[in-house]
Amino acid sequence: MPSFASDVKNALSRTDAERDCCRTAELAALLRMGASMATDGEHGLGLRFEAASAAVARRVIRLLRTMDTTIETSVAMERTPQLRRRTYIVNIAAGEGVTPLLTRLGFLTRGEAPRAGTDVQLLRRKCCRAAYLRGAFLGGGSVNRPEASCHLEITTKSAVMGRALHTLLRRLHFPVGLTDRRDTYVVYLKEGDAVMDFLALIGAEEAAEEIEVARNLKEVRAQVNRLVNVETANLQRAVDAAADQLAAIERLAAAAGGLAALPEDLRETAEMRRAHPEISMTELAALCHISKSGMSHRLRKIRRMAEEV
Ligand SMILES: [Zn+2]
């Protein structure tokens, strides 16, 4: 069964990035999440991008093609035997177009050494920040299914990328956390509102809605449970109290003179309780035509007398 996260990614990979600037930002983030450069002495730089799903690999190819039609790409599928997981490799052959492309994507500065810095240039515009985050999520994101607790994370092997994403999300006022688990940097959101806002921002509105619906349902369920618990507790208390009263009444009935020896009001109460062991004190009070506090007073007296027997 495909996970919720892969459903979200599939939906995202079909969205249209309308502007050129956004396509560049998204592709840059995607590549930073899973690309390595391959140098080919004769032809210059090529690129190898590893994607965990076919949808993500297709997205990379589609973005590349719209940016530069001369770029040659090929795809291969590899299977890790231990994990039985498929990895899709997008290879970008070394060629003339690659260096300008990498420069545009912020991987190279003026054709020099690969750059490890952040993508400040690419993140100037608001629209591009959302696109960049979409790329990062497609490349290394994961989100819990709506019924589970709210958690969204983006993992990367690159400390620089981890920090860049953390900074970007903080600047966008997300309550974001960053941890590292053995060479893997994890940027995460834990609050439901933040997870929904993030998904909506990157263009996964439907997923955000699904989470919202599931959250409302959870809240309603919790409320119903609370009510049931309160009712059950009240009922249990009433049953326990009635059992105590009945035990006291039986002791008095077994004593010398029995219930007939009791004052009139207490005898009436004792007999009424014996006849209706299941009813609440309020109902008992109504049957005896007295107030609830009057009934409480009578029952306390009965208990005290029983203790003295
Ligand atoms: Zn843009």
Side-chain angles (χ1 to χ4, degrees):
M1 199 180 73
S3 69
F4 179 62
S6 66
D7 285 348
V8 175
K9 286 187 194 181
N10 276 328
L12 278 178
S13 72
R14 286 190 297 269
T15 59
D16 284 311
E18 280 165 22
R19 299 184 190 177
D20 232 19
C21 59
C22 297
R23 280 196 284 264
T24 309
E26 184 181 331
L27 184 60
L30 252 167
L31 293 181
R32 284 197 185 281
M33 297 301 293
S36 50
M37 301 214 201
T39 35
D40 168 345
E42 226 173 300
H43 301 101
L45 280 171
L47 211 63
R48 175 191 150 96
F49 174 76
E50 283 185 23
S53 77
V56 172
R58 273 199 303 274
R59 181 72 171 176
V60 166
I61 294 167
R62 190 164 143 197
L63 289 168
L64 277 167
R65 294 254 167 86
T66 51
M67 283 184 68
D68 186 339
T69 47
T70 69
I71 298 287
E72 277 179 49
T73 56
S74 63
V75 195
M77 202 255 282
E78 283 176 9
R79 206 189 277 270
T80 25
Q82 304 94 330
L83 297 168
R84 285 211 207 124
R85 229 181 36 201
R86 290 172 183 178
T87 307
Y88 297 82
I89 314 287
V90 180
N91 279 303
I92 301 159
E96 270 182 24
V98 177
T99 300
L101 176 79
L102 292 180
T103 309
R104 218 177 128 190
L105 291 172
F107 280 75
L108 299 173
T109 34
R110 276 177 271 114
E112 288 157 18
R115 207 179 63 133
T118 50
D119 296 310
V120 181
Q121 274 310 103
L122 297 173
L123 296 172
R124 286 247 168 96
R125 293 187 194 165
K126 205 176 157 195
C127 59
C128 298
R129 288 178 210 141
Y132 192 85
L133 290 170
R134 177 166 58 240
F137 183 81
L138 279 168
S142 141
V143 58
N144 281 358
R145 68 205 151 71
E147 310 81 63
S149 61
C150 279
H151 184 90
L152 182 145
E153 63 179 40
I154 300 174
T155 56
T156 169
K157 296 270 176 210
S158 153
V160 174
M161 188 61 176
R163 276 197 296 272
L165 289 172
H166 184 243
T167 306
L168 175 56
L169 284 166
R170 251 206 343 230
R171 272 174 48 203
L172 295 172
H173 308 293
F174 279 98
V176 60
L178 173 67
T179 57
D180 82 71
R181 297 179 197 144
R182 302 173 134 243
D183 302 336
T184 303
Y185 299 83
V186 185
V187 180
Y188 60 87
L189 299 171
K190 283 175 136 175
E191 287 163 32
D193 288 336
V195 171
M196 290 191 293
D197 287 347
F198 179 88
L199 290 171
L201 176 71
I202 65 172
E205 287 93 353
E206 266 180 48
E209 268 166 42
E210 272 181 57
I211 290 179
E212 169 134 55
V213 169
R215 274 179 90 204
N216 289 340
L217 211 64
K218 256 191 273 183
E219 219 163 273
V220 168
R221 261 193 219 122
Q223 259 169 24
V224 169
N225 275 341
R226 269 197 297 277
L227 282 178
V228 168
N229 287 342
V230 167
E231 261 175 52
T232 316
N234 285 343
L235 186 62
Q236 189 59 51
R237 258 198 299 280
V239 169
D240 290 348
D244 283 353
Q245 292 153 18
L246 283 166
I249 291 164
E250 294 317 316
R251 282 187 78 177
L252 291 174
L259 295 183
L262 295 176
E264 176 60 25
D265 57 341
L266 298 187
R267 192 175 50 76
E268 180 202 25
T269 300
E271 279 166 1
M272 206 58 103
R273 177 43 99 194
R274 268 177 139 185
H276 305 281
E278 78 292 346
I279 63 175
S280 69
M281 194 174 70
T282 314
E283 289 167 312
L284 197 62
L287 280 177
C288 296
H289 307 289
I290 57 166
S291 69
K292 198 178 161 188
S293 66
M295 179 51 73
S296 166
H297 181 68
R298 284 188 189 180
L299 290 168
R300 267 202 310 278
K301 253 195 199 160
I302 288 175
R303 278 233 292 274
R304 254 202 319 274
M305 288 176 78
E307 277 162 23
E308 285 160 13
V309 168

